[in-house]
Amino acid sequence: MKIANTRPHVVIVGAGFGGLAAAKRLARRDVDVTIVDRRNHHVFQPLLYQVATAALSPADIAGPIRSIFSGSDNIRVVLDELTGVDTQSNRVRLASGKSLQYDWLILATGARHSYFGNDQWAPHAPGLKSIEDALAIRRNVLLALERAETETDEQRRKALLTFVIIGGGPTGVEMAGAVAELARRSVSRDFRSITPRCSRVILVEAGDRILPSFPETLSKMAEQSLEKLGVEVRRKTPVNDIGRGYLESAEELIVAETIVWAAGVQASPAAQWLCAYHDKRGRVIVGVDLRVPGHRNIFVIGDTANVAGTDGAPLPGVAPVAKQQGRYAADFILGRRDHPFSYRDFGNLATIGRSKAVIDMGDLKLSGFIAWLLWCVAHVWFLIGFRSRLAVTINWLWNYVTYQRSARLITGEISAASAPHAQPLERKCA
Amino acid sequence: MKIANTRPHVVIVGAGFGGLAAAKRLARRDVDVTIVDRRNHHVFQPLLYQVATAALSPADIAGPIRSIFSGSDNIRVVLDELTGVDTQSNRVRLASGKSLQYDWLILATGARHSYFGNDQWAPHAPGLKSIEDALAIRRNVLLALERAETETDEQRRKALLTFVIIGGGPTGVEMAGAVAELARRSVSRDFRSITPRCSRVILVEAGDRILPSFPETLSKMAEQSLEKLGVEVRRKTPVNDIGRGYLESAEELIVAETIVWAAGVQASPAAQWLCAYHDKRGRVIVGVDLRVPGHRNIFVIGDTANVAGTDGAPLPGVAPVAKQQGRYAADFILGRRDHPFSYRDFGNLATIGRSKAVIDMGDLKLSGFIAWLLWCVAHVWFLIGFRSRLAVTINWLWNYVTYQRSARLITGEISAASAPHAQPLERKCA
């Protein structure tokens, strides 16, 4: 792409929380910015599980990246995918065959769920990282309920009405709570042969408690709340094997039509692009200023970076970390920062379901309804764009009052009969 | 399925406007009703083109069929697909292998777009009948714009920015107007190298005027409004051939990345299932009471039926016809009707775009802003469920005020990088 003038050209790869925060800081500054993302939209990932459970529509939590920057003439958005970085000539290679020269490069390419080397599990236990993932899970859950309604074989019916979520982190906990509400409550009035009791929701966690990043007391409260919702919580239960319609742990074999993976993530291959040192999860080990050792003009931020926190452990892969790192990188480029990056932790939130959440903000530890309200407000607040805030608020109020899930659509089914019909034959069979 | 008692069992196949109207009439009456549809949701088809042009989300105009009848215990909803009818034993066969016994059968299986025997055109010029169709078209249109933004080859860029809609009926006209607004106005601020002038939208009609079902004066007005929006209207232009990225008529070859088919429909194969007489479009010729000659307990309604209007011509395939026929069939089953079915025509509406529509209600012929307001009110009014009405109203107000399209998401792309990453190699390349 030709750059109009000689101002420094900043290429940002990935329009997640980190890349977006960096771009916003650089908007209308004396630099040229090109954002490269393989999707045309930014996704507000913390609410993705609500799309997967039919509470929200994709457009409520995702919006076109270029609309966010329509007012910033120094920012260009390119729908493309990074395939490599040529650090000698300062160019990034793109899937389209094009390449982009950069003066500064910010890699914010995020992470994908990881099956810890068991990628064969992927088709049987999809993860939740993109809108497509969410719609696929929504389809599985709703389709299982539909089939159960008419299934006469008891065993098969049980399998259809068993939903397993693997991983007791915030995503897994929120997913389990939402699936329980959907499968056990929201839909019960609509079905004739499914009662709330028919459905089983099982949360499987390898460690000895759920929400390990939270204080123990809150973990307990979260577990109790989940059990109130009818979720069976299995702690200390590492998964040995996953196949089509079943999950195997040391103790038991669970037969379930719907299995969701929320157990672990793997950083995008930035380390390979840069031949940089990385940790086991593939996160690039960056310097205190988030630059890659040996590459003075390349930053790696967000889920793709391994940055030690005050306690020495790597910072968690959450939105606030990515945002603060994005702003830091932008400020560094603008010459406003020289001191090392330091993460300001505002605390931890997770919701379990209707009127239930846990909040850990240092001295302030909350659970229950107040925590849930705070969680709602915080998430609406951080949504990008007034429209999304409005849409999510209205949908939440609607769901809260009616107990309904408003986006219960099974789409993407390619049915034989959806192909155009051939000309029917003239009457000849009678 | 076992029926609890000996009340007559009515099987309704298809939950479009006709089937839904029949079911609503039979709700909480002394009959057992089973609705069979191959999708779990009812789609408000008149607004499908707004999903295709990113103005609305699928969930705004579609809702689960079983939610509509959650309060009616005599109605069962089955997600399945009809494969045949055994009129001897009064059973319908379903794709799942199950079968249903009926005392009364209402076939409301609708129509699909027809390529007049040129089914090879289908992949190059998709039609608009289902949510999936709409999302596919939305994806094509948005992707074409994204690619055009970075395309350097002038010819290729032209092709990407040329949008052709085939068929000058209401769907084609509304589609053309909406695409013009999306491609020429809504997105212009977001792109750096696309200006409204770059995009071409062409509406191709074989007949000598668009909206042939409307009075000539309104056809003219509609054409003028479309041209104001920048749509090139080609009348008397039958299509000779369609291929990947091009369309050929007698006069010219149009190179266009995006081609949408809105030219004709073909009834679902009810005539084959029943071995019944049908017209060229596959519509079953039914009696004055909508029953199939020779089958005293089978009704065919909506787009699948050929019913002569007062002028002798078959009634058009529009929602009001299907609804009135559905109610008639239900009333007939309930023993409340004996006189023949007669269609009460309340008039014809079509919108061209922002603030522009045409209305033909006998003596009342309207066009322009007032007509557009009436069109909006009518469509919100006929939407099923308060939530959809609220969602559509809010989205329309939003789009009207901001000129934005709120659902501009490109989804469904299976990108290589969306697969889970393999464990990255330890550093070895340097």
Side-chain angles (χ1 to χ4, degrees), chain B residues 42-44 47-48 51 56-63 131 383 388 392:
Chain B
H42 165 77
V43 178
F44 189 77
L47 290 180
L48 207 48
V51 173
L56 296 174
S57 284
D60 298 339
I61 64 159
I131 293 284
L383 270 168
S388 291
V392 168

Side-chain angles (χ1 to χ4, degrees), chain A residues 1-9 32 34 76 100-101:
Chain A
M1 220 145 301
K2 233 171 94 289
I3 300 306
N5 54 32
T6 60
R7 306 194 298 180
H9 182 216
D32 289 306
T34 303
R76 238 183 119 83
L100 283 173
Q101 176 279 336

Side-chain angles (χ1 to χ4, degrees), chain B residues 121-368:
Chain B
W121 294 353
H124 313 301
L128 184 62
K129 271 281 177 189
S130 69
I131 293 284
E132 287 79 7
D133 295 339
L135 292 178
I137 291 174
R138 182 179 84 181
R139 188 162 174 285
N140 293 352
V141 173
L142 296 177
L143 214 43
L145 291 167
E146 289 291 337
R147 296 197 170 130
E149 169 78 346
T150 54
E151 182 55 66
T152 46
D153 176 87
E154 209 29 61
Q155 288 310 311
R156 178 103 186 86
R157 191 151 179 285
K158 273 213 180 81
L160 284 164
L161 290 175
T162 305
F163 305 88
V164 178
I165 290 90
I166 304 168
T171 309
V173 168
E174 294 178 330
M175 192 73 196
V179 169
E181 287 184 335
L182 175 65
R184 294 174 59 91
R185 184 158 202 173
S186 306
V187 300
S188 57
R189 277 178 60 246
D190 294 358
F191 290 86
R192 300 287 171 255
S193 68
I194 301 177
T195 66
R197 267 203 202 64
C198 300
S199 302
R200 281 179 80 193
V201 181
I202 306 171
L203 178 63
V204 176
E205 162 63 32
D208 58 1
R209 65 186 178 105
I210 61 170
L211 297 181
S213 59
F214 284 73
E216 214 151 341
T217 53
L218 292 179
S219 295
K220 271 208 178 46
M221 288 176 178
E223 187 169 336
Q224 285 158 3
S225 310
L226 281 174
E227 277 158 354
K228 274 208 199 71
L229 282 170
V231 176
E232 306 170 29
V233 179
R234 302 255 204 285
R235 288 182 275 96
K236 300 178 187 154
T237 306
V239 173
N240 295 345
D241 187 27
I242 301 174
R244 187 195 170 85
Y246 73 88
L247 172 143
E248 204 182 288
S249 74
E251 293 75 29
E252 62 178 336
L253 175 85
I254 304 175
V255 179
E257 195 67 20
T258 312
I259 303 175
V260 177
W261 183 266
V265 295
Q266 176 72 36
S268 50
Q272 286 148 297
W273 298 327
L274 302 173
C275 307
Y277 287 107
H278 58 80
D279 61 19
K280 281 266 158 291
R281 289 221 218 132
R283 292 175 297 188
V284 174
I285 316 279
V286 295
V288 292
D289 56 13
L290 308 183
R291 289 186 297 174
V292 182
H295 301 292
R296 309 200 72 271
N297 59 345
I298 301 181
F299 297 86
V300 177
I301 61 172
D303 293 359
T304 319
N306 177 323
V307 180
T310 46
D311 58 355
L315 293 172
V318 294
V321 171
K323 283 176 164 177
Q324 290 179 35
Q325 292 179 337
R327 290 194 205 101
Y328 177 93
D331 285 340
F332 192 101
I333 289 168
L334 296 172
R336 299 167 164 184
R337 294 280 189 107
D338 39 23
H339 56 78
F341 168 81
S342 71
Y343 172 55
R344 184 141 172 243
D345 188 351
F346 292 100
N348 246 335
L349 305 86
T351 181
I352 292 96
R354 186 185 180 80
S355 315
K356 289 194 177 53
V358 290
I359 293 184
D360 168 33
M361 292 179 167
D363 303 339
L364 174 67
K365 295 192 184 1
L366 272 176
S367 69

Side-chain angles (χ1 to χ4, degrees), chain A residues 67 81 190 275 278 417 425 429, chain B residues 67 81 190 275 278 417 425 429:
Chain A
S67 300
E81 190 168 348
D190 293 359
C275 306
H278 58 81
L425 311 154
C429 26
Chain B
S67 299
E81 189 167 350
D190 294 358
C275 307
H278 58 80
L425 311 156
C429 27

Side-chain angles (χ1 to χ4, degrees), chain A residues 23-193:
Chain A
K24 283 184 167 175
R25 250 324 154 56
L26 295 171
R28 288 181 295 279
R29 300 286 168 195
D30 196 27
V31 292
D32 289 306
V33 179
T34 303
I35 303 172
V36 179
D37 196 288
R38 64 167 188 260
R39 309 207 179 274
N40 81 318
H41 50 272
H42 166 76
V43 179
F44 188 78
Q45 283 208 16
L47 290 181
L48 208 46
Y49 78 97
Q50 296 215 356
V51 173
T53 50
L56 295 173
S57 283
D60 299 338
I61 64 159
I65 300 160
R66 47 180 80 258
S67 300
I68 300 170
F69 298 102
S70 55
S72 317
D73 293 338
N74 69 319
I75 297 186
R76 238 183 119 83
V77 179
V78 173
L79 180 76
D80 212 327
E81 190 168 348
L82 190 71
T83 56
V85 181
D86 184 342
T87 53
Q88 306 304 319
S89 61
N90 292 329
R91 300 190 75 85
V92 290
R93 290 186 296 277
L94 304 177
S96 65
K98 301 190 183 70
S99 78
L100 283 173
Q101 176 279 336
Y102 60 83
D103 300 303
W104 295 94
L105 176 63
I106 300 176
L107 291 176
T109 41
R112 283 292 300 179
H113 33 274
S114 155
Y115 294 87
F116 310 128
N118 299 295
D119 287 355
Q120 71 277 13
W121 294 354
H124 313 301
L128 184 62
K129 271 282 176 187
S130 68
I131 293 284
E132 288 79 6
D133 295 338
L135 292 179
I137 291 173
R138 182 179 85 180
R139 187 164 176 282
N140 293 350
V141 172
L142 296 177
L143 213 44
L145 291 166
E146 288 291 337
R147 294 195 172 131
E149 168 79 347
T150 54
E151 183 54 66
T152 46
D153 176 86
E154 209 31 62
Q155 288 309 311
R156 179 104 185 86
R157 191 154 179 282
K158 274 214 181 75
L160 285 164
L161 290 174
T162 305
F163 304 88
V164 179
I165 290 90
I166 304 168
T171 308
V173 167
E174 293 179 331
M175 191 73 196
V179 170
E181 287 185 334
L182 175 66
R184 292 172 60 88
R185 186 159 200 171
S186 307
V187 300
S188 58
R189 277 177 61 247
D190 293 359
F191 290 86
R192 299 288 171 255
S193 68

